[in-house]
Amino acid sequence: MSEMMTVVPAAVLVIGAIILMLSEVFLSATNRTYMAVIGVITSAIAGLFALQNAFEPARLVLQGFAVLDPFSSFMTAMVCLGTGLACLLASGFLKHRNAERGEFYALMLFAAAGMSLLAASNEFITLFINLEVLSIATYALTAFLRRGPRPAEAGFKYFILGAFAAALLLYGASLLYGATGSTRLSDLATLLPGAMATKSGLVYAGFGLVLAGFAFKVAAVPFHMWTPDVYEGAPTPVTAFFAAAPKVAAMALFIRLVVDPFASITPDWQQIISFASIASMCFRTSLRMTTEAPSSG
């Protein structure tokens, strides 16, 4: 039962999302502020469970498919905090536009559940499933306000590019499995040196594709060109949610991926990460300044 503590925050978020969906069906109240309250309370309870797990010793759980440690617990708590703040922000925004629906907060909680499991993932297949749970919910949130061409365009672009990034990540994971014979991140640290001696091409190709998939999720250069259209077309609370919670979950998993399993090729990926970091800080800042600049007309 102690191993199940890893999935308790995600279970709380899923239960809250189901309650919101059922309330939309069976309740017909004009004032739907209670939906945002349910979202905030659910996020707070899940965050408290995550902080409680932060005092657990680091260990592999669920037959090695997940990790229970202070790092994943803290990242889950940060995701819950971002979700709760986004629910608060969305309440007035949606009410002003007469678009306050239970499925909005339910999708946000489903996305947060995927993020919480993503931060604790220790296996590529589990990682991919959790990433898709997160992604499908965010695609729907992007096009939630179906008025005008911008939300539909943003949701469609996000879906197409997200599917492409997921395909890159999954193909890279399959190459790493072919090189090492394991899909568990904890096993890669011991199997990678032997794979580098005989199948270095597969290792580098697989790692590069996995890195490209994660670079898309964190909007790192040169995989950042989807962000202006998606952030502009999505509702403002969704944009705030995208800018915080998914980035925390993706960075948590990215750190878990490169620090321990690929420690033997640290000099190689350090150069790539350094370039992507510097390019992201420079080009994304210049892109934002260009977008915000007033037109000459």
Side-chain angles (χ1 to χ4, degrees):
M1 291 300 296
S2 62
E3 293 189 357
M4 296 303 295
M5 292 299 295
T6 308
V7 299
V8 167
V12 171
L13 292 168
V14 170
I15 292 172
I18 294 174
I19 292 174
L20 284 167
M21 294 176 69
L22 292 176
S23 69
E24 181 67 23
V25 174
F26 294 105
L27 298 180
S28 58
T30 305
N31 187 1
R32 303 191 180 191
T33 308
Y34 71 91
M35 294 182 174
V37 175
I38 293 176
V40 173
I41 293 176
T42 303
S43 302
I45 295 174
L48 290 176
F49 275 112
L51 291 177
Q52 183 180 358
N53 295 342
F55 299 98
E56 295 287 334
R59 66 183 188 274
L60 296 178
V61 296
L62 303 178
Q63 298 183 351
F65 286 88
V67 179
L68 180 62
D69 59 356
F71 177 73
S72 62
S73 301
F74 175 74
M75 289 298 180
T76 300
M78 293 296 294
V79 166
C80 293
L81 176 62
T83 305
L85 293 176
C87 289
L88 285 176
L89 180 63
S91 178
F93 180 89
L94 296 177
K95 185 176 181 180
H96 179 70
R97 288 159 178 79
N98 195 23
E100 199 167 22
R101 300 291 184 270
E103 56 264 28
F104 179 88
Y105 302 101
L107 286 169
M108 196 168 287
L109 293 181
F110 278 129
M115 295 176 212
S116 65
L117 294 174
L118 192 66
S121 297
N122 187 53
E123 197 259 348
F124 275 118
I125 298 176
T126 308
L127 180 157
F128 177 74
I129 293 173
N130 296 330
L131 189 63
E132 287 305 295
V133 171
L134 156 66
S135 300
I136 292 172
T138 54
Y139 300 154
L141 284 172
T142 302
F144 184 79
L145 296 179
R146 300 177 298 275
R147 302 165 187 167
R150 282 188 176 180
E153 179 185 359
F156 183 73
K157 286 183 178 180
Y158 196 20
F159 171 72
I160 295 298
L161 294 176
F164 177 72
L168 290 179
L169 191 149
L170 194 59
Y171 188 51
S174 66
L175 292 180
L176 290 174
Y177 173 74
T180 61
S182 176
T183 58
R184 296 184 183 180
L185 302 183
S186 56
D187 295 339
L188 292 182
T190 56
L191 297 174
L192 201 62
M196 286 294 296
T198 57
K199 303 174 183 177
S200 60
L202 280 180
V203 173
Y204 282 122
F207 179 71
L209 291 173
V210 170
L211 192 65
F214 279 116
F216 174 86
K217 291 301 177 182
V218 298
V221 174
F223 302 96
H224 68 295
M225 298 309 295
W226 59 273
T227 50
D229 292 328
V230 172
Y231 282 16
E232 184 178 7
T236 302
V238 176
T239 302
F241 182 63
F242 286 174
K247 302 295 189 297
V248 170
M251 287 303 299
L253 187 58
F254 182 76
I255 292 171
R256 191 181 299 281
L257 178 68
V258 300
V259 170
D260 187 25
F262 292 95
S264 59
I265 58 172
T266 298
D268 298 323
W269 61 256
Q270 273 186 339
Q271 299 178 10
I272 300 174
I273 300 302
S274 299
F275 169 77
S277 302
I278 296 173
S280 298
M281 288 185 285
C282 295
F283 288 102
R284 288 189 65 186
T285 302
S286 62
L287 178 63
R288 184 171 67 249
M289 293 175 63
T290 303
T291 305
E292 295 177 352
S295 61
S296 57

